[in-house]
């Protein structure tokens, strides 16, 4: 069964096919209104459960719209309102849902919830973000980079800020898609060594730098994310802001990268914290293309999961 749990656990040839399929399905919808069905309806007669234990705008709407465009139906479930949030085990939840639906997407906290869901479900499970990774986002980001600049292979990506879940999936992608990644941020917020080692073992050059201006030299892409993720304690806010302020992506930092460097942010952004509005809305930014491509990339992921 094709679960989509993480980028490093998905075969690189499959990842390539998913991105190609995402480009093709986006192109095929040129001129369609948002709500119009795709010409092909591969998810006709399919029911998809979208489970959220954390808030979401993009993941929720893009999965829901994507399923409908492909002819399927969805049910959006909040973890708190399910028995899952009141003591029913993940394994039992997975077994029960598998009797009703054809595909499960889950956004949760601990990665073990996702892996246990996949272990006990008889239908494919998709990772819609955990505390550790966010693979659907990075598939959309690869699609976005390719649209603007062609192949990402051999390119230099710089992550500036917190070495969080989105950064981890970028490190997974560096190994699978063959690009180099420099992390720049305070040592205490470095990405887990496991992610760095895995990318290096697959041949990617991964560098860690404390100097953001040195780090972005020759960068083809600069990426950042919120300084406080949904799983981080709000009490850490002031300390994190103080640590991360030197890594803000602003025009001065962008000017040290390649002149045609792209800027990405998975959104939601805290404008004028991790990135200035001038960068978010400026000529390097592709943040809204990333958001749109969540739709196209996830449609391709769902088709791969269901082999339709
Ligand atoms: N980028 C992303 O996953 O956004 P949401 O939290 O709105 O789903
Ligand atoms: N790192 C952020 C990503 C949100 C899409 C979080 O986990 O809150």
């Amino acid at each position: 069964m094709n679960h989509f749990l993480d980028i490093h656990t998905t075969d690189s040839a499959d990842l390539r096919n998913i991105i190609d399929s995402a480009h093709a399905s986006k192109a095929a919808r040129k001129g369609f209104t948002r709500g119009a069905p795709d010409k092909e309806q591969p998810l006709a007669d399919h029911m998809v459960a979208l489970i959220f234990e954390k808030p979401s705008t993009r993941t929720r709407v893009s999965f829901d719209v994507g399923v409908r465009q492909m002819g399927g139906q969805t049910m959006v479930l909040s973890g708190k309102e399910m028995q899952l949030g009141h003591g029913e085990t993940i394994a039992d939840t997975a077994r029960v849902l598998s009797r009703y639906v054809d595909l499960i997407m889950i956004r949760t906290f601990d990665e073990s919830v996702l892996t246990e869901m996949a272990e006990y479900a008889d239908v494919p499970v998709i990772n819609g973000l955990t505390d550790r990774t966010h693979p659907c986002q990075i598939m959309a980001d690869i699609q976005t980079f390719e649209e603007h600049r062609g192949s990402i292979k051999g390119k230099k990506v710089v992550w500036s800020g917190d070495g969080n879940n989105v950064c981890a999936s970028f490190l997974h992608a560096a190994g699978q898609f063959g690009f180099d990644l420099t992390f720049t941020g305070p040592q205490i917020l470095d990405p887990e060594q496991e992610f760095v080692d895995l990318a290096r073992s697959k041949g990617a050059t991964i560098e860690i730098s404390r100097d953001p201006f040195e780090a972005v030299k020759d960068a083809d892409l600069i990426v950042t994310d919120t300084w406080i993720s949904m799983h981080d304690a709000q009490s850490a806010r002031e300390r994190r802001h103080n640590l991360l302020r030197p890594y803000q992506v602003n025009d001065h930092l962008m000017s040290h990268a390649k002149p045609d460097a792209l800027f990405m942010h998975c959104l939601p952004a805290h404008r004028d914290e991790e990135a200035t509005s001038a960068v978010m809305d400026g000529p390097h930014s592709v943040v809204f293309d990333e958001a749109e491509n969540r739709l196209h990339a996830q449609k391709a992921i769902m088709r791969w999961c269901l082999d339709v």
Side-chain angles (χ1 to χ4, degrees):
M1 194 163 28
N2 287 336
H3 297 301
F4 187 75
L5 300 184
D6 266 317
I7 290 183
H8 68 299
T9 53
T10 306
D11 186 79
S12 56
D14 288 338
L15 294 172
R16 183 67 258 157
N17 288 338
I18 291 169
I19 298 287
D20 290 344
S21 158
H23 285 305
S25 86
K26 182 172 183 177
R29 281 194 64 84
K30 281 264 147 47
F32 282 37
T33 57
R34 311 284 183 251
D38 287 348
K39 280 209 183 91
E40 287 177 36
Q41 295 283 279
L43 261 63
D45 302 326
H46 286 75
M47 180 61 75
V48 179
L50 306 172
I51 305 173
F52 290 91
E53 296 197 286
K54 288 176 176 168
S56 168
T57 297
R58 278 141 290 269
T59 306
R60 179 181 167 147
V61 178
S62 57
F63 265 105
D64 200 344
V65 169
V67 172
R68 292 170 196 233
Q69 287 180 349
M70 295 193 291
Q73 298 189 64
T74 58
M75 53 183 58
V76 182
L77 302 161
S78 138
K80 272 194 219 110
E81 288 160 9
M82 296 172 71
Q83 299 292 10
L84 180 66
H86 300 274
E88 187 166 19
T89 68
I90 300 150
D92 287 350
T93 305
R95 292 181 182 111
V96 169
L97 288 180
S98 300
R99 302 288 178 107
Y100 303 135
V101 305
D102 302 285
L103 181 65
I104 299 167
M105 190 289 310
I106 181 163
R107 165 170 287 194
T108 188
F109 289 87
D110 200 292
E111 189 177 51
S112 64
V113 176
L114 172 80
T115 49
E116 201 173 331
M117 186 73 79
E119 188 181 342
Y120 290 96
D122 295 324
V123 298
V125 174
I126 296 176
N127 176 356
L129 178 145
T130 71
D131 295 356
R132 284 195 97 206
T133 62
H134 194 6
C136 290
Q137 178 66 52
I138 277 49
M139 293 299 278
D141 293 350
I142 301 291
Q143 180 184 2
T144 306
F145 188 91
E146 290 186 357
E147 277 175 353
H148 286 271
R149 296 285 183 267
S151 174
I152 198 165
K153 197 170 164 57
K155 294 289 197 288
K156 177 176 173 181
V157 175
V158 176
W159 181 280
S160 186
D162 180 17
N164 66 12
N165 46 1
V166 180
C167 178
S169 286
F170 250 110
L171 282 164
H172 284 152
Q176 296 289 61
F177 288 91
F179 57 86
D180 299 329
L181 190 146
T182 298
F183 170 84
T184 183
Q187 185 170 11
I188 195 163
L189 298 175
D190 275 355
E192 284 177 39
Q193 193 61 37
E194 177 191 321
F195 299 126
V196 172
D197 291 344
L198 185 65
R200 284 181 178 151
S201 75
K202 298 202 169 190
T205 300
I206 307 297
E207 285 178 3
I208 308 284
S209 164
R210 304 293 161 218
D211 178 348
F213 292 95
E214 188 60 33
V216 300
K217 224 173 124 212
D218 297 324
D220 297 286
L221 168 63
I222 298 180
V223 197
T224 191
D225 186 13
T226 179
W227 288 342
I228 303 181
S229 285
M230 291 181 272
H231 59 272
D232 290 322
Q234 279 300 326
S235 56
R237 184 184 164 84
E238 196 180 329
R239 190 175 65 97
R240 281 178 159 267
H241 274 233
N242 289 337
L243 284 166
L244 287 160
R245 203 161 287 122
Y247 300 93
Q248 181 193 65
V249 183
N250 49 37
D251 283 333
H252 186 42
L253 187 64
M254 285 302 303
S255 72
H256 284 68
K258 278 189 183 166
D260 68 344
L262 296 177
F263 169 72
M264 288 191 187
H265 187 312
C266 65
L267 307 179
H270 300 80
R271 284 172 175 257
D272 301 316
E273 291 180 8
E274 68 269 14
T276 58
S277 275
V279 169
M280 294 277 301
D281 300 327
H284 301 277
S285 174
V286 290
V287 298
F288 297 109
D289 291 338
E290 293 176 80
E292 176 183 342
N293 287 336
R294 294 293 302 278
L295 171 67
H296 307 295
Q298 287 158 191
K299 284 168 75 178
I301 290 166
M302 288 188 275
R303 291 183 69 156
W304 173 78
C305 284
L306 292 165
D307 195 22
V308 291

